[in-house]
Amino acid sequence: VENDQGLEDPVRIVKVAVWDYSFIFKQSDVVWTDRAGCWEVDREYDEMNMKVIFENFNLKVRDLSYWLSLRVLRDQTRSFSVPLNNVYVRYDDIDDRREWAASHTHNTDLDYRDRSTFDGIPQPRLRLNYLLRRGSGRGAAPMLQGNPFNSYLSMLASYGWGGLYNIVSSHIQPDIANPYEDGDRASMFNAITHHELGHASHHTIEGESYWFHYRNHIIHNTGYGTFPGFLPGSSPGRVALGEAIGNYTGHIYGGTFFGGEATDFLNNFIPAGLMFDLEDTNSDFVTDPNTGVSTRDNVQGFTRAMIFDALEGTTDIENYGENLRNLHLSSTPTTPANYDDLIEVYDVFN
């Protein structure tokens, strides 16, 4: 698959189906590419058909333009004759834009799982449903697979035919959605996937008791909303904590602008820089965007595993800060006073 430099990245651990007919008998094999993007079939073929199917044991990639996302995305069928030791498939970022996006999704999912495992971060669920579509918009991690009653709206719909649809389609509902526009760079597209996978790890820890309210907040406010004008039924504390995690993984694994030193807050309440400030050694000022109160970040030493470990059972920045303090502060060189100052300035609801 083409990268930002016009060179090629291997498409790693993707399914390849191979088949041919001998008279009326079909012979077929299913294999996966390795981490170098190579694959082989042990059976001997004189001629063969093959297609790439964008799935593996970690994910299933769907695209709205392919069977309205009802089926896992498949590439076109390609036919080859002997010699069969030089089969070559390349996805261009213009002519094969859909497959380009699916290939980078495969690679980024594997990259996140590799790096987050090393860092001690809980893994996203297996067989994640990705929904891609060509066009503008923003990524999301609704985590809908296997969960037909996932918000107040879906529960209301259950009183009609919508409830039956929710049930029978729940296995194909998206966990992560990511649009791709013409001109998007692979690095940008992949960084958003890293952000959304941070949410998927958070969902592994907290599950539906957290995500149900998270989704409803976004539905009520047609997005995150902006402090302090949230509509009734909102859960801004959950959104603040959840988006702090997404921005963190987007930055540390995908290099996004948000989630590091450059941006402390989004929408006047999401502490986009909190998790990075818990980890890094840089001492800078953090300012509450609503009150103008500033404090110096003299916190350091929290590991990525510690940051995720403290998420369990917490629903806002205040109780997250208390949990992290109780679990791991003593394992860092940070003083309690400096720690409390940082949590307080990042918690606009205190």
Side-chain angles (χ1 to χ4, degrees):
V1 62
E2 186 173 354
N3 61 26
D4 288 343
Q5 290 73 45
L7 304 175
E8 297 173 357
D9 289 335
V11 184
R12 302 182 293 168
I13 323 298
V14 68
K15 188 175 184 179
V16 179
V18 179
W19 71 96
D20 194 21
Y21 291 90
S22 178
F23 298 104
I24 62 172
F25 300 104
K26 180 181 180 181
Q27 60 180 7
S28 61
D29 292 279
V30 172
V31 296
W32 280 262
T33 62
D34 60 20
R35 287 175 177 259
C38 300
W39 57 277
E40 65 177 359
V41 175
D42 293 333
R43 190 199 306 265
E44 183 174 328
Y45 285 84
D46 292 326
E47 297 179 339
M48 72 171 192
N49 303 298
M50 63 86 67
K51 68 170 55 180
V52 175
I53 304 173
F54 289 96
E55 67 176 340
N56 61 31
F57 40 85
N58 287 329
L59 80 164
K60 298 165 285 183
V61 180
R62 306 172 191 275
D63 193 286
L64 199 59
S65 68
Y66 183 80
W67 285 74
L68 294 177
S69 75
L70 296 175
R71 300 184 69 193
V72 173
L73 178 63
R74 289 156 168 78
D75 189 12
Q76 63 179 302
T77 298
R78 303 167 192 267
S79 300
F80 299 92
S81 301
V82 291
L84 297 174
N85 61 349
N86 60 350
V87 174
Y88 173 76
V89 177
R90 182 181 189 273
Y91 298 122
D92 180 88
D93 70 341
I94 297 176
D95 297 331
D96 310 297
R97 192 69 172 170
R98 183 177 66 184
E99 290 74 19
W100 172 92
S103 298
H104 281 293
T105 299
H106 260 268
N107 287 350
T108 304
D109 184 275
L110 182 61
D111 180 59
Y112 177 88
R113 291 176 190 271
D114 284 348
R115 296 165 71 182
S116 61
T117 296
F118 179 82
D119 287 335
I121 294 174
Q123 294 299 286
R125 70 190 302 173
L126 297 178
R127 301 286 283 169
L128 273 174
N129 270 335
Y130 284 86
L131 176 61
L132 309 182
R133 64 174 178 83
R134 194 167 191 161
S136 61
R138 62 195 310 170
M143 304 303 295
L144 298 177
Q145 183 178 182
N147 181 26
F149 307 114
N150 46 63
S151 68
Y152 291 126
L153 285 180
S154 67
M155 293 178 72
L156 287 173
S158 69
Y159 289 100
W161 287 106
L164 178 61
Y165 173 78
N166 283 345
I167 293 171
V168 300
S169 68
S170 65
H171 67 291
I172 65 171
Q173 294 297 319
D175 296 308
I176 292 176
N178 200 2
Y180 51 95
E181 290 190 78
D182 294 344
D184 278 355
R185 294 171 61 84
S187 55
M188 181 194 313
F189 180 76
N190 296 339
I192 294 170
T193 305
H194 278 299
H195 174 118
E196 305 306 340
L197 282 164
H199 290 311
S201 285
H202 191 181
H203 184 270
T204 295
I205 299 168
E206 287 296 274
E208 280 304 302
S209 63
Y210 193 104
W211 243 252
F212 184 83
H213 301 284
Y214 203 158
R215 296 186 199 101
N216 284 322
H217 175 103
I218 292 173
I219 292 169
H220 293 160
N221 294 275
T222 60
Y224 303 140
T226 300
F227 182 87
F230 304 107
L231 295 179
S234 298
S235 299
R238 283 183 168 86
V239 174
L241 180 57
E243 293 306 317
I245 285 293
N247 281 285
Y248 177 57
T249 58
H251 179 75
I252 62 174
Y253 296 138
T256 56
F257 179 77
F258 303 117
E261 293 284 17
T263 304
D264 294 329
F265 284 92
L266 297 172
N267 297 57
N268 289 350
F269 78 103
I270 295 170
L274 170 59
M275 305 306 172
F276 190 78
D277 278 343
L278 291 170
E279 175 185 351
D280 77 334
T281 59
N282 188 41
S283 180
D284 61 343
F285 280 96
V286 178
T287 302
D288 184 321
N290 305 290
T291 66
V293 173
S294 296
T295 192
R296 182 176 286 278
D297 166 23
N298 287 317
V299 175
Q300 60 178 291
F302 288 93
T303 67
R304 295 168 184 181
M306 292 176 184
I307 288 168
F308 271 80
D309 182 47
L311 288 171
E312 185 173 1
T314 64
T315 57
D316 57 34
I317 299 302
E318 181 180 10
N319 55 45
Y320 174 79
E322 292 171 356
N323 202 33
L324 183 63
R325 190 185 205 275
N326 294 334
L327 290 172
H328 299 299
L329 178 60
S330 61
S331 300
T332 76
T334 300
T335 67
N338 287 337
Y339 176 80
D340 291 344
D341 285 346
L342 186 70
I343 295 297
E344 183 174 354
V345 76
Y346 269 123
D347 181 14
V348 303
F349 301 101
N350 59 24

